[in-house]
Amino acid sequence: MTLLDAFVHLLAPTQLAIMLGGVLLGIAVGVMPGITAGMLLALTLPFTYSMNSVNAVILLVSMFVGGVSGGLVTATLMRIPGEPNAIMTTLDGYPLARRGFPGRALGLGNAASIVGGALSWVALVLLTGPLAKAAIIFGPWENFALLLMALALITSLSRGSFLKGMIAALLGVLLAMPGVDETSGRVRLTFEIDALTNGFQLLPVVVGMFALSQIVADTLHVDQGTDHVRANMRGILISLRDYVVHGWNMLRSALIGVWIGVLPGVGATVASIVAYSTAKSLSKTPEAFGTGSEEAIVAAESANNATTGGTLIPLLALGIPGGLADAILLAALMIHNLKPGPLLFATNPDIVNAIMATHLAAHIAMFALMTVGCVIFARLMLVPRAFLFPLVIVFCVVGAYAPDSQISDVWIMLIFGIVGLALEYARFPLAPFVVGFVLGPLAEAKLRTALMTSAGSMLPLLQRPIALGLTLVAVTTCLWPLLRLLRRR
Amino acid sequence: MLMRRLISGVALAASLLATGWANAAWPEKPIRIVVPFGPGGTSDIVARFLQKLIEEKKVLNQPVVIQNVSGHFSVGARQVMTAQPDGHTFLIIHLALLSGEVVDPKRGVSYRNFDPVALTGGFCFHPIVRQDSPYKTLKDLLDAAKAAPGTIVTGVNIGALNHMTGLFMERGSPGAKFRFAQIGGGGENFAAIMGGHTQLTVLSSSEYQSYKANGIRALAYTGPERLKLEPEIPTARELGLGFEYCAENFWFAPKGTSREAIDGMAAALEKANAMPEMQEFFSRQAQTGQFMKGDTYRQHLDSVFQVIEPVAKLAAPQ
């Protein structure tokens, strides 16, 4: 079965229904906070045992694509990231929707999603071999330097006071420390509190900081301003001109997304952070980021969808699962007596082609379904806040509780709601906090692995060319504001 | 079809909320199996294959639901340890539960805090180098590790099964020392060794079956006798290291679970484990297909603990 045959096969009624159903379910859980695409895939896995292997793959890949895309909706309309990878989208999608353009915000995100996804498909089909080889050369030092660079780009994320931005970022890193130390497997900084054994989880923290704090803040000012914004529904389908204007940004963010997707264990959230920060540092209007910038939405959504193609690459080329969705796909293949890895291309080309064909077709289906869905969802902005807020609070609680079924996560969410409110009142930016929270522990783990391979020497960071290059970018980024200040004097 | 299954999933969630004591005809509601690892790992695949057989061949008259809890294995294990002993909650885990309590006793998760149910099959390990490695045999490797102790970068998951295998090799060959680095599980270690970031790693026999075609070589096998799938690979004992090291798939229930539920689950697992499909799965995965329950299993757990305790102490971070 060639790739073309695989596409034709997808048009058969059964396969088409499986794909559309998968994408739709994926989008639905993407929209629902707390229920992540990973959970949907894990829940679906047992039902694929009795399917034939091609249908199983079609269903799982479709759900994966739908899930990555749906998070945008809740992020934009409620300031709740429906999926962790939509965190960066909340930063600008929500303000834009609040200003009265929910249609435009969703439309831009949706368009960027399909462009990012389609570009990553090209990489998946044409560059599987070389990209997988390149990813393997990227060792702990290179990974650490990449994360260091991303952390340094925080400086570009702070609006207003540079110092406050750094404090927020370091606070994020600090609060990510308690829980299981990934490197030694030991529990640390939990002060013997059972609820902290697994640390502060990402979703309770961001749901509290963004969504809950927003509701409290809005409720405090409910006497001021209008009850609800006059929402403009237009712009759900963006114009050809928009694609041209945002073309380079979409392409660049997609490339970042593909590459970060290829690296095992890094993931879509980091990809959208890096693409967002990069877009900001290259933007002509960086001051607009965080206030509803179109560029920001495009960067974040193009990058997180582009990881879908990237993350399938090590799975197909080497049999290494790059993320949770891959791990489930791998499990499904193994239950069907298939061995993922390079041999799959020779022994079961129908499976490889089905994965590739579904990846693109599911993106197209996702775009169509999301366009229709956004028309409906965007009307949420018309609902009076008195009715909307209780619903959002329910979503917040479910979003915090559902991932691990731990009631302590709900308390953590409430506490971080207060933390978020306090930070915003004191004019500390939230974006650097989240970035520090996500990247801090990853960078720590990579650095400690790297130091274990070198028996404690930091020298390889300067001896390995890629690591050195990335470190230099990081250092320059950090020193840039200082240099500018000196020149001005 | 999918919808109906989803609805049954929701029904299960509802029944989980309503805690109750098991009595009358076990099982009276869906059975929840906690896999304290992400999907796709060795334990997960074993649990899922048994789930598939139990459901397809109607071994039990209730559905079996698998719940993955990722993160450190102790998180999922603790969930079962502290769950209501309602007779419908079980844990599948391996040696990590036994070594983990030695590595980090503060965590308070011990195999003694569970009721043992059964043991279904197991797997052993291979020390792995790259195809182009200068270490052609295990002797080459150990000689090098003795000549320059602490220089061979060895990718493991600190405190976990692959790390323990490395420690067993050090102990079997006095003077040899590896430089252990935290890389992670099978996939990560395969990537790290292929990228030249590590020179040695340890893969489970199942993982080796997935990656062996890609330029890696196994120097030994830690099982009691050579694998039928890999008759060329000598055992560590043949090579004079004087140890065997294998992990088995352990099943546990929360302490206080009724006799009826434990015996019922053990019987269901025994039946599914003995099916030709399951045995074929085990041999394809380079796993062994043995079964244990009752007192035999209980005593086995204690004897395994005694063997690994001294080595697990070495795996604890200093």
Side-chain angles (χ1 to χ4, degrees):
Chain A
M1 192 156 83
T2 65
L3 187 55
L4 191 66
D5 292 336
F7 275 113
V8 175
H9 186 57
L10 272 176
L11 292 175
T14 320
Q15 281 67 31
L16 194 65
I18 292 177
M19 185 190 72
L20 289 175
V23 173
L24 199 62
L25 271 170
I27 292 176
V29 301
V31 171
M32 302 272 278
I35 307 174
T36 61
M39 289 161 74
L40 173 69
L41 287 166
L43 212 71
T44 309
L45 184 52
F47 307 114
T48 62
Y49 301 165
S50 51
M51 296 177 168
N52 74 46
S53 46
V54 170
N55 287 351
V57 160
I58 293 174
L59 180 63
L60 293 173
V61 173
S62 304
M63 284 179 163
F64 176 38
V65 169
V68 171
S69 318
L72 144 81
V73 176
T74 355
T76 303
L77 300 179
M78 295 184 178
R79 217 190 183 199
I80 302 176
E83 291 280 315
N85 64 50
I87 290 172
M88 300 316 273
T89 316
T90 57
L91 296 177
D92 289 84
Y94 183 75
L96 189 56
R98 261 312 261 281
R99 285 211 318 256
F101 303 102
R104 176 81 181 156
L106 292 171
L108 277 167
N110 196 18
S113 293
I114 189 169
V115 172
L119 287 169
S120 79
W121 179 77
V122 175
L124 174 65
V125 173
L126 298 180
L127 299 172
T128 304
L131 275 176
K133 282 205 185 81
I136 274 182
I137 296 167
F138 230 71
W141 288 109
E142 285 79 12
N143 269 301
F144 169 66
L146 174 76
L147 291 162
L148 194 68
M149 185 190 80
L151 273 166
L153 283 171
I154 288 182
T155 51
S156 78
L157 280 184
S158 20
R159 294 196 294 125
S161 161
F162 171 76
L163 193 63
K164 280 188 169 168
M166 284 313 272
I167 292 174
L170 290 173
L171 193 65
V173 174
L174 183 71
L175 288 173
M177 290 292 136
V180 176
D181 166 8
E182 292 283 335
T183 309
S184 69
R186 283 200 159 183
V187 174
R188 66 180 177 193
L189 296 173
T190 59
F191 306 100
E192 319 250 309
I193 301 168
D194 254 358
L196 288 186
T197 311
N198 230 6
F200 296 114
Q201 292 294 302
L202 182 61
L203 275 175
V205 169
V206 292
V207 167
M209 287 198 68
F210 286 99
L212 192 70
S213 67
Q214 181 73 42
I215 290 175
V216 177
D218 281 351
T219 315
L220 292 175
H221 299 292
V222 84
D223 48 333
Q224 304 166 11
T226 51
D227 183 37
H228 58 87
V229 284
R230 216 173 261 285
N232 185 339
M233 290 304 143
R234 269 186 284 172
I236 285 176
L237 276 175
I238 67 168
S239 71
L240 207 60
R241 214 186 135 263
D242 287 318
Y243 283 100
V244 176
V245 171
H246 292 293
W248 169 233
N249 185 4
M250 286 181 184
L251 176 67
R252 181 187 59 225
S253 306
L255 291 178
I256 292 173
V258 169
W259 178 244
I260 290 183
V262 171
L263 299 178
V266 186
T269 311
V270 176
S272 59
I273 289 175
V274 174
Y276 182 101
S277 317
T278 310
K280 182 170 181 186
S281 35
L282 297 177
S283 171
K284 288 195 192 87
T285 53
E287 66 284 352
F289 277 62
T291 63
S293 160
E294 298 194 345
E295 288 171 77
I297 300 171
V298 166
E301 284 301 316
S302 172
N304 65 24
N305 271 77
T307 56
T308 57
T311 192
L312 290 170
I313 288 174
L315 179 74
L316 289 183
L318 304 165
I320 305 171
L324 183 62
D326 291 4
I328 290 165
L329 209 53
L330 181 90
L333 293 177
M334 285 169 85
I335 301 254
H336 281 107
N337 302 338
L338 297 166
K339 253 183 223 149
L343 289 182
L344 202 60
F345 284 89
T347 57
N348 298 85
D350 50 332
I351 296 291
V352 176
N353 287 325
I355 292 176
M356 288 179 174
T358 310
H359 180 259
L360 185 64
H363 265 102
I364 297 167
M366 176 279 292
F367 182 73
L369 289 168
M370 280 285 280
T371 306
V372 178
C374 288
V375 175
I376 303 161
F377 286 129
R379 306 200 85 80
L380 261 182
M381 291 309 267
L382 299 174
V383 176
R385 288 198 220 158
F387 297 116
L388 190 59
F389 282 178
L391 180 73
V392 178
I393 291 180
V394 170
F395 267 38
C396 289
V397 172
V398 172
Y401 177 76
D404 286 326
S405 311
Q406 301 272 9
I407 197 70
S408 55
D409 282 339
V410 177
W411 293 109
I412 290 172
M413 188 269 295
L414 291 175
I415 293 167
F416 274 90
I418 299 166
V419 173
L421 200 63
L423 286 178
E424 287 215 310
Y425 268 83
R427 303 205 173 280
F428 284 96
L430 294 186
F433 175 91
V434 172
V435 172
F437 188 84
V438 174
L439 298 183
L442 271 175
E444 183 211 352
K446 300 289 181 196
L447 175 63
R448 285 172 67 187
T449 293
L451 287 172
M452 286 166 111
T453 63
S454 72
S457 163
M458 284 293 283
L459 268 183
L461 193 60
L462 306 178
Q463 288 165 338
R464 302 177 68 98
I466 300 172
L468 178 65
L470 292 167
T471 310
L472 285 179
V473 177
V475 173
T476 323
T477 316
C478 270
L479 294 181
W480 193 244
L482 210 71
L483 289 176
R484 250 195 335 208
L485 205 72
L486 285 177
R487 204 187 287 171
R488 227 177 275 163
R489 287 242 168 109
Chain B
M1 175 68 174
L2 188 68
M3 206 53 218
R4 203 188 319 148
R5 300 271 191 141
L6 274 177
I7 290 168
S8 79
V10 173
L12 167 75
S15 68
L16 286 177
L17 289 174
T19 46
W21 292 90
N23 45 36
W26 183 91
E28 57 186 27
K29 61 181 187 186
I31 288 169
R32 176 170 72 122
I33 296 173
V34 174
V35 177
F37 307 98
T42 309
S43 302
D44 183 63
I45 301 283
V46 169
R48 287 180 184 281
F49 217 88
L50 284 165
Q51 170 197 32
K52 176 181 151 137
L53 289 177
I54 289 175
E55 289 199 345
E56 273 177 12
K57 311 273 170 170
K58 309 228 177 316
V59 179
L60 293 173
N61 55 11
Q62 287 282 354
V64 174
V65 179
I66 288 182
Q67 184 192 350
N68 295 95
V69 181
S70 35
H72 193 267
F73 76 83
S74 68
V75 178
R78 183 190 300 277
Q79 278 184 15
V80 175
M81 196 171 89
T82 56
Q84 283 283 344
D86 63 357
H88 296 81
T89 306
F90 296 91
L91 173 75
I92 181 171
I93 196 165
H94 49 56
L95 199 56
L97 180 67
L98 276 60
S99 54
E101 97 173 67
V102 184
V103 172
D104 193 359
K106 270 198 300 191
R107 207 167 288 167
V109 175
S110 163
Y111 77 97
R112 292 179 202 84
N113 299 339
F114 294 88
D115 279 338
V117 177
L119 179 161
T120 57
F123 50 93
C124 312
F125 300 90
H126 298 293
I128 301 283
V129 293
R130 231 161 69 165
Q131 199 73 55
D132 57 7
S133 162
Y135 314 124
K136 298 290 173 212
T137 63
L138 190 67
K139 189 171 174 304
D140 292 347
L141 173 77
L142 293 171
D143 286 348
K146 276 182 214 165
T151 55
I152 299 174
V153 181
T154 307
V156 295
N157 204 358
I158 298 288
L161 303 182
N162 47 13
H163 184 197
M164 300 266 296
T165 311
L167 292 166
F168 267 110
M169 291 202 298
E170 282 183 350
R171 210 169 66 145
S173 169
K177 279 268 174 282
F178 303 117
R179 183 190 294 172
F180 292 110
Q182 167 65 28
I183 302 289
E188 288 115 328
N189 269 306
F190 170 68
I193 202 164
M194 289 311 290
H197 310 293
T198 56
Q199 285 128 40
L200 171 70
T201 188
V202 174
L203 294 180
S204 79
S205 44
S206 317
E207 288 161 349
Y208 179 65
Q209 290 304 311
S210 302
Y211 298 122
K212 67 175 178 182
N214 296 334
I216 53 170
R217 192 146 42 89
L219 295 179
Y221 176 64
T222 63
E225 56 197 60
R226 293 190 183 202
L227 266 175
K228 281 200 196 77
L229 268 179
E230 305 288 344
E232 252 77 293
I233 304 172
T235 66
R237 198 176 279 287
E238 279 172 47
L239 296 170
L241 272 115
F243 78 90
E244 273 152 32
Y245 180 65
C246 297
E248 290 140 326
N249 305 304
F250 297 144
W251 294 79
F252 290 97
K255 200 143 198 120
T257 299
S258 71
R259 198 67 262 158
E260 190 197 5
I262 288 177
D263 292 347
M265 187 66 180
L269 289 171
E270 183 167 21
K271 205 167 159 196
N273 195 69
M275 286 178 185
E277 292 93 333
M278 194 66 209
Q279 290 299 318
E280 198 190 303
F281 165 85
F282 278 135
S283 59
R284 203 171 50 231
Q285 292 276 314
Q287 294 207 33
T288 47
Q290 71 273 35
F291 182 86
M292 269 185 218
K293 64 178 180 183
D295 282 340
T296 334
Y297 173 40
R298 200 178 286 271
Q299 283 154 15
H300 177 72
L301 283 172
D302 289 333
S303 67
V304 170
F305 186 76
Q306 275 175 8
V307 173
I308 59 129
E309 192 182 12
V311 180
K313 278 201 175 117
L314 301 174
Q318 310 305 317

